[in-house]
Amino acid sequence: MAHLNQRRSENVNGDFYVDTTCIDCDTCRWMAPSVFTAKGEQSAVYQQPTNAEERLAALQALLSCPTSSIGTVEKPEDIKIAQSSLPIAIDKNVYHCGYHSEKSYAAASYFIQRPEGNILVDSPRFTPPLVKQLEKLGGIKYMYLTHRDDVADHEKFAAHFHCQRILHREDITSGTENVEIQLTGTDVFSSDVFGSDISGQSPDLLIIPVPGHTKGHTVLLYKNKYLFTGDHLAWSKSLQQLIAFRDFCWYSFSEQTQSMRRLLDYSFEWVLPGHGRRYHTDTSTMAQEMQKCLTWMENA
Ligand code: SF4
C-alpha cells in the first residue's frame, strides 16, 4: 500500500501518485503511458487521468505494481471494476495477467485460454482477485515457466489449481525441485509436453530452448504467432528495436546470441517478454527486426 507521506515530489498534483518505494520496474509506464513516466530513477505521475479509459489503465497499473508504490488520495470506489478487468486481453485468447510480483522483479506473466487446457506463462502474484478471475476463465492446466527467475508464486498456483508446472531441468533450483515436468536437452519440445495429441496436425505449441540468459531458459511459441520470451528477448523503448539484456545475462551472452539465431527459423507476430516492452508487427517485419537484433548482439 502506497503512503501519502512518502509521495514523490515529482508527481503532479492530484489523486494518483507514486511514492518513494518505487523500484523503477517500468510496469506502470507501459500499462498507463498517459499517466506515468520516469522522473529520475523512479516513476511519477506526469498527468492525472482525464477520462474513464485512462483511469482504468492507471488503476490496472496500481494493482500490478509489484511494490504497491502507486496510491490514490481518495479511496478508489471503482477498484473492483479494475480488478475484474485483469487479466487484460492482448489478442484473442491471450492475456496479460497484471499483478506483477516483486519476487520476479516485476516480470509480466501471461495466460492462454484454450480448449485443451489453459496455460499460465510465468508467475504473477498469487492474489485472491486474480485467482478468482483465472477461475472464471477456466482455471490453469499448465504453468509454463520460461526460466528460474520468474517463478514467483508458482507453488501457490500449483497447489490451488492443481496445474502441471513445466521448467527446464537446467533451471531447477531448491525452490522448484518439485516441478512436475522437467525438460532436458536442447531439442525443441512439441505440443505433447502439454498432453496434446499431435498426430496428423501441426503442433500449436513449441517450447524452444534458448540458453543464454540462464542455462535452462526456454521460450514458448503458440500458434506460430505469439512468442513468450521471458528474459531472452524484448523490445527496447529507448533503442526502438528488439534486444537481449547483456547486463542481465547470468549464463553466457555468446550462447544467447546463438539461441537468438535459432529463432530466425520461426515465424511469429508477437514478442511477449517478462521484462522490457512487448512488440507486435507482421511476420515479415518481425523477421527483419530479429535479424537486426542478432546483428546488434553480434556487435555488442
Ligand atoms: S509499477 Fe510500481 S515499482 Fe514499477 S515503476 Fe511503476 S511505481 Fe515503480
Side-chain angles (χ1 to χ4, degrees):
M1 184 178 173
H3 295 284
L4 201 46
N5 61 1
Q6 293 180 296
R7 179 180 180 129
R8 297 191 71 214
S9 59
E10 290 84 352
N11 295 286
V12 294
N13 288 334
D15 194 23
F16 281 85
Y17 65 92
V18 175
D19 79 11
T20 56
T21 62
C22 167
I23 58 170
D24 195 26
C25 75
D26 192 38
T27 299
C28 58
R29 304 194 291 257
W30 60 261
M31 287 188 72
S34 65
V35 174
F36 301 96
T37 192
K39 293 275 184 184
E41 294 187 347
Q42 292 178 311
S43 286
V45 173
Y46 74 98
Q47 177 182 273
Q48 295 292 337
T50 56
N51 56 45
E53 191 182 343
E54 288 183 355
R55 180 172 173 85
L56 178 61
L59 286 173
Q60 289 169 334
L62 179 152
L63 292 169
S64 300
C65 175
T67 46
S68 302
S69 304
I70 300 171
T72 53
V73 178
E74 302 293 332
K75 187 175 175 211
E77 301 296 342
D78 47 355
I79 196 70
K80 285 201 183 316
I81 294 172
Q83 286 172 341
S84 63
S85 72
L86 290 164
I88 303 166
I90 297 171
D91 189 41
K92 296 180 181 166
N93 57 331
V94 175
Y95 298 79
H96 165 223
C97 292
Y99 296 99
H100 295 196
S101 171
E102 194 175 9
K103 292 177 198 164
S104 54
Y105 196 74
S109 63
Y110 304 92
F111 181 78
I112 308 171
Q113 190 180 34
R114 51 197 288 277
E116 303 87 349
N118 300 336
I119 302 171
L120 183 63
V121 178
D122 288 329
S123 177
R125 222 179 316 139
F126 187 88
T127 183
L130 176 61
V131 169
K132 193 170 145 201
Q133 290 300 109
L134 293 175
E135 285 169 348
K136 277 192 196 168
L137 289 167
I140 303 166
K141 186 168 183 184
Y142 295 100
M143 185 176 192
Y144 162 73
L145 301 163
T146 54
H147 68 297
R148 69 184 186 206
D149 300 334
D150 295 350
V151 299
D153 289 331
H154 71 98
E155 283 178 306
K156 291 180 181 172
F157 282 103
H160 185 86
F161 287 100
H162 306 291
C163 53
Q164 299 267 299
R165 291 162 291 177
I166 303 169
L167 178 62
H168 198 284
R169 187 164 290 167
E170 292 288 358
D171 267 27
I172 295 289
T173 64
S174 57
T176 48
E177 59 193 5
N178 294 327
V179 162
E180 292 78 11
I181 302 174
Q182 300 187 13
L183 308 171
T184 55
T186 55
D187 290 342
V188 174
F189 302 91
S190 193
S191 294
D192 50 352
V193 171
F194 297 91
S196 301
D197 174 9
I198 57 167
S199 54
Q201 59 181 12
S202 57
D204 68 354
L205 288 160
L206 292 177
I207 297 176
I208 307 165
V210 287
H213 174 76
T214 57
K215 194 172 181 183
H217 200 304
T218 62
V219 295
L220 177 67
L221 180 60
Y222 174 55
K223 285 193 178 296
N224 289 317
K225 186 171 181 184
Y226 310 94
L227 189 69
F228 300 90
T229 58
D231 288 355
H232 177 69
L233 170 71
W235 182 260
S236 164
K237 180 172 179 265
S238 56
L239 296 178
Q240 286 293 295
Q241 67 165 82
L242 290 169
I243 59 154
F245 301 108
R246 181 164 196 149
D247 292 343
F248 300 95
C249 178
W250 315 132
Y251 175 56
S252 162
F253 198 70
S254 62
E255 285 224 24
Q256 192 166 349
T257 306
Q258 294 294 332
S259 296
M260 203 65 79
R261 182 174 291 108
R262 183 178 208 182
L263 292 181
L264 297 182
D265 294 340
Y266 299 91
S267 173
F268 47 92
E269 296 176 13
W270 288 86
V271 168
L272 298 167
H275 294 110
R277 302 288 175 103
R278 74 176 71 136
Y279 182 55
H280 177 220
T281 188
D282 59 84
T283 52
S284 157
T285 306
M286 185 65 84
Q288 290 169 20
E289 289 293 341
M290 285 298 295
Q291 183 58 61
K292 187 174 168 186
C293 173
L294 182 59
T295 304
W296 174 81
M297 289 178 79
E298 287 170 341
N299 294 311

